[in-house]
Amino acid sequence: MKRNLPIFGVLAVLLVAIAIANPSFLEPDGFLAFVKRAAPLAILAAGQYFVIVSGEFDLSVGSLVTAEVVIAARLIDGDPGATWPVVLLLLAFGALIGLLNGLVTTVLKVPSFIVTLGMLLILSGAVFLWTDGSPRGALSEEFRQAGRGSVGPVPWSVLVLAVAMAAVIALMRSDFGRTLLAAGDNPTAARLSGVRVLRVKTAAFVLSGLSAAVCAVLLGGFAGVSAQVGEGLEFQAITAVVLGGVVLGGGRGSAVAAIAGAFTLQSLFTLLNLHGISGALEYTVQGLILIIAVALGSVQFPRRVKSASTTA
C-alpha cells in the first residue's frame, strides 16, 4: 500500500494547482468535466495494467481505438437503429484483436512488444487504406451520448468509468487477479504451481482490447470521428500505468494506482493547457515521466524473487 501513496500525493498537488489556476474547477460541473475528459484514458490504462502486470506490453491499443471509431462511423452512418449492434460489434472486435495479440504472444512465443507493434502497424495501415486519410460516415446521436451525454448532472462517461473501476478491482481481488500477478512475477514457478500461464496472459490481452473498445465509444462520442483520434494513446496508457507504480516486467502493482496515474497525467496536461504551454510539449513531458518513474522504481523498489504483491 505504501508504494501507492506517492501517486495519490502527486495527484492531490496537481488538483490543487489546477484549482488555483482555475477556481471554477472546484465547482461540481468543473470537476465532473475533468473526470469526463480523463475517463477514456483511465479505462485504457486499466486495460494496459492487466497486460503489464502479467509481464507483457500492448502497443496496439491506440490504433485499435482509431480503427473502432472509424468502423463505427462507417457502419452507423447516422442511423440510430444501428447504434447498439455496432457497439456490440466494436466490443467483439476489440476482444478479437486482444485474443490475436495474446495467442501470438503466448502460443507462438513472439515477444509482445513485437506482436503489438505489428498489430499497431496493421490497424493503422488498414484504417488509412479504408478511409484514404479521411473517415467517412457519421456517428448517431445515440452513440455520441456515451461520450458527451449525462444522467442528470453526472456524465455517462463518469458512470462508465465507475463501473469499469469496480470491475477491475473485483477481478484483481479474485483468483484471476492472483494468478495474473503470479504469472507476471515468475511464470515458471506459477506454471509449476498449477497456474495456466498462457491462458491467463491471453485473457489479459483480451481485457486490454475490450478496454480499447470502451475507450473508443467514449472518445467517439466526445471528440467525434477522426483518423487520429487514438494517436499516441498507447504511450499515454503505458505512462499512466508506470506512473502508478506498476513494475515493468510484471508481478507487482495496484490497479487503482494505475488508474490514479491516468488521472495524474490528465491533470498535468490540464495544468499545462491552463498556463498556455504548447500541446506538443506533452510528448516531452510523457517521456520524462516515463524515464523518471521507471528509474525511481528500480532504485527504491528492487526486484525480489518472492514479493508481496498488491492487487487493487
Side-chain angles (χ1 to χ4, degrees):
M1 182 64 183
K2 290 182 180 180
R3 291 189 82 250
N4 304 329
L5 292 179
I7 187 61
F8 292 105
V10 173
L11 177 57
V13 169
L14 287 172
L15 292 177
V16 170
I18 293 172
I20 293 173
N22 180 21
S24 64
F25 177 76
L26 296 174
E27 299 175 2
D29 288 345
F31 186 73
L32 286 174
F34 165 76
V35 178
K36 175 182 176 180
R37 291 193 302 273
L41 177 58
I43 291 172
L44 198 64
Q48 190 72 239
Y49 163 80
F50 288 117
V51 176
I52 289 180
V53 87
S54 75
E56 306 295 343
F57 284 97
D58 189 352
L59 297 177
S60 68
V61 290
S63 58
L64 179 54
V65 168
T66 299
E68 298 259 16
V69 173
V70 169
I71 290 170
R74 188 73 174 269
L75 295 181
I76 293 175
D77 200 17
D79 179 14
T83 299
W84 283 108
V86 169
V87 169
L88 294 176
L89 177 64
L90 297 182
L91 293 173
F93 183 67
L96 175 62
I97 295 299
L99 180 63
L100 290 174
N101 286 335
L103 289 177
V104 174
T105 298
T106 58
V107 177
L108 300 183
K109 308 298 183 183
V110 180
S112 59
F113 183 90
I114 300 300
V115 174
T116 56
L117 178 60
M119 185 61 74
L120 180 156
L121 296 173
I122 291 169
L123 291 172
S124 297
V127 167
F128 185 80
L129 283 174
W130 198 25
T131 64
D132 289 327
S134 178
R136 306 169 193 171
L139 299 172
S140 63
E141 285 301 313
E142 286 76 7
F143 186 96
R144 300 200 68 178
Q145 280 299 307
R148 63 182 184 182
S150 61
V151 180
V154 183
W156 272 109
S157 55
V158 176
L159 297 175
V160 172
L161 174 61
V163 172
M165 286 183 63
V168 169
I169 292 171
L171 272 175
M172 292 310 296
R173 289 183 175 177
S174 68
D175 289 340
F176 170 78
R178 289 186 284 272
T179 55
L180 184 66
L181 287 165
D185 186 46
N186 192 326
T188 302
R191 190 179 298 110
L192 292 175
S193 64
V195 175
R196 296 181 175 179
V197 175
L198 302 187
R199 181 179 295 184
V200 168
K201 289 195 173 190
T202 300
F205 279 102
V206 172
L207 289 170
S208 180
L210 284 171
S211 75
V214 175
C215 176
V217 172
L218 297 182
L219 277 179
F222 183 72
V225 183
S226 169
Q228 290 81 38
V229 66
E231 186 176 352
L233 280 178
E234 62 276 0
F235 300 113
Q236 289 186 23
I238 292 172
T239 302
V241 172
V242 173
L243 191 57
V246 180
V247 176
L248 294 178
R252 287 183 293 170
S254 161
V256 174
I259 294 172
F263 275 94
T264 301
L265 201 58
Q266 185 65 47
S267 299
L268 184 58
F269 293 159
T270 300
L271 193 60
L272 291 174
N273 290 333
L274 286 173
H275 288 286
I277 298 175
S278 172
L281 191 60
E282 291 181 359
Y283 291 105
T284 303
V285 172
Q286 280 181 236
L288 287 172
I289 289 174
L290 191 58
I291 293 170
I292 292 171
V294 173
L296 289 177
S298 300
V299 172
Q300 296 180 5
F301 307 106
R303 183 82 173 180
R304 296 176 183 175
V305 175
K306 295 182 179 180
S307 59
S309 301
T310 53
T311 60

